[in-house]
Amino acid sequence: MTGNHKNTSITRRRALAVSGGTVAAGGLAVAGFQSAFADTTDSGADADATASASSAGSECMTLMTSVTEGPYYLDGALVRKDITEGKAGVPLTLRLTVVDATDGCTPVKGAAVEIWHCDAWGYYSGYTTANPGGSAPAESEEGDSADDKTYLRGYQIADANGVVKFETIFPGWYTPRTCHIHVKVHTGGEKEDGTYEGGKVNYTGQLFFADGIAEEIFTLEPYSKHTGDYTVLADDMVYDGGGAASGLLTLKAVHKKDPSKGYKGSLTLGIDPDAENTGAGSGGGTLPSGAPSDAPTGTPPSDAPSDSASPSASASS
């Protein structure tokens, strides 16, 4: 597919180490990956890579930088591990570790981690009339197995190690953004009627994917049915080039020779449990030079929260 790929060299904003299907976005991310997937069995080269990363385990994750929640947020996401609802795409197992960056990076047990992202063609549940840019099939062509207001959205509650796990799909893209997942960390609330209620939002951010892996995924079905200009990390309006501290995931292919088998992604989220940041109207930056200007359009569902930003504001999405 085509895209904004004029600058393919490794720059200061994209200092990535890519080897054997693994992206190491700094030692802290590697350490986070090691701890998050501690219940899996490593062998051979994978075990060696894990051992080499152990020296980073004593380092403390810096405080994550909060950014905008974007225009596609909806309240009332379900507490669940599998958020796919039958949506087609490359499998992604996502494990996030929440730590208190103000207190020696101790795990934040009971933190509620909420994520949401678009489907393989760039559509968000609850906003299925929004145009993802380029040429994409209608969202309805994927069938009606998924609830159009809940797919690819959900919460998980952190265990004693601060770890949550989601089963989802690799997100697609929409103009003018790079591939990403939205995330909020909540504390002080509780699970009620299948959702998370009360408390406050401590961190609002976005998770990002290495360009090389994203672009390979987008050549596969069903992603390849969405064609047009894909924005690389260096040209994205939200990602600031800070690696793991800016939300860049550590990714590991389930099968090194077959990306369609899926990926495991991980990141440590360093938060301040006393802070409050909803992400509404914060961060996001401006459109970079040469970036597409045809942001997605559409109207939110009638039962969307009244304070949600309109999809026309996706320059901060």
Side-chain angles (χ1 to χ4, degrees):
M1 65 189 297
T2 59
N4 297 341
H5 304 147
K6 293 181 181 179
N7 182 6
T8 59
S9 62
I10 297 180
T11 66
R12 178 181 63 81
R13 298 193 66 197
R14 288 186 291 143
L16 307 177
V18 182
S19 175
T22 299
V23 176
L28 292 169
V30 176
F33 180 85
Q34 177 191 6
S35 61
F37 288 92
D39 61 341
T40 62
T41 301
D42 291 315
S43 61
D46 291 340
D48 293 340
T50 299
S52 67
S54 62
S55 62
S58 61
E59 298 181 50
C60 184
M61 185 67 180
T62 58
L63 192 66
M64 303 291 289
T65 302
S66 287
V67 297
T68 177
E69 72 177 21
Y72 298 122
Y73 181 70
L74 288 176
D75 285 321
L78 302 174
V79 178
R80 55 185 180 170
K81 181 166 67 175
D82 188 335
I83 64 173
T84 56
E85 293 193 19
K87 278 288 184 177
V90 171
L92 175 65
T93 297
L94 184 65
R95 295 202 188 192
L96 303 172
T97 304
V98 184
V99 299
D100 183 350
T102 69
D103 185 27
C105 284
T106 54
V108 184
K109 178 182 178 181
V113 180
E114 178 184 17
I115 67 170
W116 68 101
H117 64 83
C118 67
D119 67 8
W121 295 338
Y123 295 102
Y124 279 85
S125 58
Y127 299 87
T128 54
T129 61
N131 180 358
S135 177
E139 187 271 349
S140 60
E141 290 185 28
E142 271 202 288
D144 56 2
S145 61
D147 187 314
D148 67 3
K149 291 182 176 64
T150 61
Y151 67 74
L152 305 178
R153 299 178 185 270
Y155 281 93
Q156 277 288 279
I157 310 301
D159 64 16
N161 296 314
V163 174
V164 297
K165 175 182 176 181
F166 292 95
E167 298 294 342
T168 185
I169 61 170
F170 205 100
W173 60 275
Y174 56 93
T175 303
R177 293 298 315 282
T178 194
C179 180
H180 64 283
I181 292 175
H182 294 268
V183 59
K184 285 179 181 282
V185 178
H186 308 244
T187 57
E190 59 184 15
K191 181 179 177 181
E192 183 177 324
D193 296 329
T195 65
Y196 185 82
E197 303 292 340
K200 64 182 177 181
V201 178
N202 307 105
Y203 168 70
T204 302
Q206 298 184 24
L207 309 177
F208 299 96
F209 300 80
D211 291 330
I213 292 177
E215 290 167 4
E216 183 176 33
I217 293 295
F218 296 157
T219 66
L220 307 175
E221 291 284 349
Y223 303 88
S224 60
K225 292 182 178 180
H226 183 192
T227 61
D229 290 325
Y230 168 70
T231 302
V232 296
L233 284 171
D235 293 332
D236 188 65
M237 66 188 69
V238 176
Y239 181 66
D240 64 8
S246 298
L248 188 64
L249 289 165
T250 294
L251 296 170
K252 182 177 181 179
V254 172
H255 190 290
K256 293 180 180 179
K257 295 183 179 181
D258 186 358
S260 70
K261 298 296 185 182
Y263 277 85
K264 294 179 179 180
S266 67
L267 187 67
T268 297
L269 302 176
I271 70 163
D272 178 357
D274 294 325
E276 184 167 9
N277 187 298
T278 65
S282 65
T286 57
L287 281 168
S289 176
S293 59
D294 52 336
T297 58
T299 56
S302 58
D303 58 351
S306 60
D307 60 349
S308 293
S310 70
S312 64
S314 61
S316 61
S317 64

